[in-house]
Amino acid sequence: MRSTFHSLEVARRGLVTQQTALQTVGHNIANANTPGYTRQRVNFEQTEPYPAPSLNRPQIPGQIGTGVEAGSIQRVRESFLDIQYRGENNKLGYWESRADSLQKMEGIMNEPSETGLSTTLDRFWQSFQDLAVNPTNAGARSVVRQRGLAVSETFRFLSDSLTSVQGDIKNEMDVTLKQVNALSEQINNVNKQIGEIEPHGYLANDLYDERDRLVDELSQLVNIKTTQVGTGGSPSALAEGKLTIDLVDDSGRKIGNLVDATTLKVNSLSLDYRNDTELVDGYSLGDTSFGIGSMQASGKLRGLIDSYGFMEGNTEKGLYPDMLNHLDTVAYEFAQEINRVHESGWSISSMETGEHTAFKFFEFKNTDITAGNKKDAAKLFTVSADIVQSLDNIAASGYNKGIITTGEFLGYNGVENISVSVQSTVDAAGVQQFTYTVYDAAQSPKQEMKTSGNFASLEQLGQGLSEEFTDESGNSSVNFNLDKVRLEDVSKGNFINIDIPKVGQVGGRVGDGSNAVALAEVKARSLQLNGVSTTFQNYYESVIGGLAVDAQEANRLSHNSETLRLSVDQRRQSVSGVSLDEEMTSMIQYQHAYNASARMITLTDELLDKIINGMGIGGR
């Protein structure tokens, strides 16, 4: 037989359950602006009907419902969107850090501008052209020296500035590593708290939110993969368990554990540096060391490593090491070519003494700078002390494509106006041979007087040519030094002509600006730079062009990643975010259900009042 109080109990359950739903709505509204908060909902469940199936059940038409209860309070979240969000967040971290590094580099290089290296070099070339017009002018020589100082200061400024920013990136890497380790530690602590709550059948919704927020933040720094691990005990079927955080590469291959949910331990991440270059050489996760090549992944940390520089075997890689290498190459080759031409020319001081002195125009403060070791060439680049001390040491005269002639010409077989041609041939075995030819330049066209045999080297040719011109005692009167001659100038059909128009000293002549012209022409001379045949200007333009393309690509991909992340986040918020409109609708719904349950209690009360006080009073 059914109890009269059955309805009261059903209505009471309705009151309590709707009240729980209203409290959850209030919690959602209160946290509408809390970062990382996920809206919650009450899962309503019917209570067991009456009567329970058994042999002694009451004989009633069927089972009667006994009301409702709050089965669980669950977060409304879609894990697939979390995975998408963290993937895009990881890419964004990489491209943002790379774009930021390139932006700083562009600011330092400052091309094109009036203060960039390109303009400084142009002014340097122009100063030699001005000097060629009047090679003895002290003002023009002073401008050449000052332009040279400006070039050296620009090289040093660029190298120092790039190195300084590279140091800043290293500091940022250290801060990022601390963030990774701190976030891992916090996630591990949340795992511990969740492990203490879930075994009792509760859902740790607020702790889940906090953990997801930390994992989102971590995903921007390094590439990670999460795996759920059960907490044991009697957890709810909706329990999310503890999370193991693995460090993975781009293909998803596991590198190691950052957070181990099974042992509740954290493995610290650290970077290893090469002692000689101070670049990243590897990293350690806990007690295990890895080569930097295994960290083929996105994330802010990898973006910073790619910018700062790392070792690939014994080769330096990275944005800043590459740019410094280009700058060192330009500085070294620039100094070598300028010096080669300058040392082969005649300065005023050499002409005054009658002895050729090879003055370098540029030098490096560290004598260890060689063709095989150009590192820090730009940082140590400077104008030589000889040029700084005296403007007369600037060699503006007597250019013969590297051939330095000294001594006194006494005539050649009775001819006082000659021309010497130096060239090379390749024999059938592919061996390069060198020859010279002496012409009588007084005639038109000039007449050949002698052609030498083959010489194995330019040095031997110089000795042979020097022995061609002798005085009355048979001693060499004109010395030919070919140490500064480039093979390209006497190969593949190229040749060098040396004109000796009259007897007398064969050195530089006052008023001759041929070497200044040759120095200005270095700008357009084709050289081998880092294995590429190009000019200084073209090489530098290609470096700056490559920098601009890299920066443009980084900005574009950063923008794309930001857009995709925002898109995924909006979709995630549409599922997990708190909608005040929706919450207000739910509040009204639950409020009316609560009022209806209360009215049900009143109705039942009136029924009982009628039964107790209004029945059985007939005949009184």
Side-chain angles (χ1 to χ4, degrees), residues 79-92:
S79 59
F80 175 69
L81 292 176
D82 284 337
I83 295 173
Q84 277 192 317
Y85 177 86
R86 288 163 191 165
E88 297 304 329
N89 200 31
N90 187 251
K91 294 175 190 171
L92 178 62

Side-chain angles (χ1 to χ4, degrees), residues 52-357:
S54 63
L55 290 176
N56 60 348
R57 66 184 183 277
Q59 295 302 315
I60 56 176
Q63 289 184 312
I64 303 173
T66 59
V68 67
E69 65 178 356
S72 61
I73 301 175
Q74 182 186 9
R75 294 194 309 160
V76 182
R77 199 172 181 98
E78 191 173 334
S79 59
F80 175 69
L81 292 176
D82 284 337
I83 295 173
Q84 277 192 317
Y85 177 86
R86 288 163 191 165
E88 297 304 329
N89 200 31
N90 187 251
K91 294 175 190 171
L92 178 62
Y94 178 83
W95 288 113
E96 270 191 341
S97 65
R98 188 178 177 89
D100 183 57
S101 298
L102 286 167
Q103 185 181 20
K104 291 175 181 174
M105 187 183 291
E106 283 187 314
I108 293 172
M109 301 310 292
N110 198 23
E111 297 287 358
S113 72
E114 287 296 311
T115 56
L117 179 62
S118 181
T119 302
T120 307
L121 287 174
D122 283 342
R123 290 172 179 163
F124 182 65
W125 307 126
Q126 182 61 47
S127 68
F128 276 120
Q129 290 179 346
D130 295 340
L131 178 63
V133 176
N134 190 357
T136 57
N137 185 284
R141 288 174 173 273
S142 178
V143 171
V144 167
R145 183 174 63 183
Q146 292 308 117
R147 296 299 188 200
L149 287 169
V151 169
S152 64
E153 288 170 359
T154 304
F155 271 120
R156 291 200 301 273
F157 169 78
L158 293 178
S159 181
D160 291 343
S161 298
L162 289 172
T163 304
S164 176
V165 173
Q166 192 181 21
D168 293 341
I169 293 174
K170 183 180 181 182
N171 293 334
E172 193 174 355
M173 279 197 306
D174 293 339
V175 172
T176 303
L177 274 175
K178 289 179 181 177
Q179 284 181 307
V180 170
N181 293 327
L183 288 169
S184 299
E185 192 65 45
Q186 291 176 55
I187 292 171
N188 192 51
N189 290 335
V190 175
N191 269 343
K192 290 178 183 176
Q193 292 177 292
I194 291 173
E196 293 170 355
I197 294 174
E198 283 190 349
H200 301 288
Y202 293 122
L203 293 178
N205 290 327
D206 293 335
L207 289 175
Y208 296 153
D209 285 345
E210 175 63 10
R211 186 175 62 187
D212 283 337
R213 187 186 66 78
L214 295 172
V215 173
D216 285 349
E217 194 173 340
L218 182 62
S219 69
Q220 189 171 26
L221 306 180
V222 290
N223 199 16
I224 57 172
K225 179 182 178 182
T226 60
T227 307
Q228 290 185 354
V229 176
T231 52
S234 302
S236 164
L238 300 174
E240 298 183 16
K242 296 176 286 187
L243 278 187
T244 289
I245 310 291
D246 293 330
L247 189 68
V248 298
D249 59 17
D250 277 340
S251 63
R253 184 179 62 84
K254 176 183 173 182
I255 297 174
N257 287 128
L258 272 174
V259 179
D260 191 336
T262 304
T263 60
L264 293 176
K265 289 185 178 178
V266 174
N267 290 317
S268 295
L269 182 65
S270 61
L271 293 176
D272 304 324
Y273 296 92
R274 183 76 65 88
N275 290 333
D276 51 349
T277 62
E278 297 184 355
L279 298 182
V280 179
D281 195 30
Y283 63 97
S284 299
L285 189 59
D287 297 330
T288 309
S289 297
F290 301 89
I292 194 63
S294 64
M295 191 188 277
Q296 296 298 329
S298 300
K300 180 181 179 181
L301 182 61
R302 182 66 210 197
L304 291 172
I305 292 173
D306 284 351
S307 301
Y308 173 74
F310 58 93
M311 297 301 297
E312 189 175 271
N314 290 322
T315 306
E316 297 181 7
K317 295 285 186 179
L319 293 176
Y320 278 76
D322 284 349
M323 181 54 74
L324 285 168
N325 177 45
H326 287 309
L327 202 59
D328 288 338
T329 298
V330 172
Y332 178 80
E333 299 296 345
F334 174 79
Q336 293 304 304
E337 184 60 16
I338 289 291
N339 285 343
R340 185 188 71 82
V341 177
H342 191 263
E343 287 177 321
S344 66
W346 284 75
S347 62
I348 292 179
S349 56
S350 293
M351 287 185 282
E352 287 176 349
T353 59
E355 294 183 2
H356 179 270
T357 303

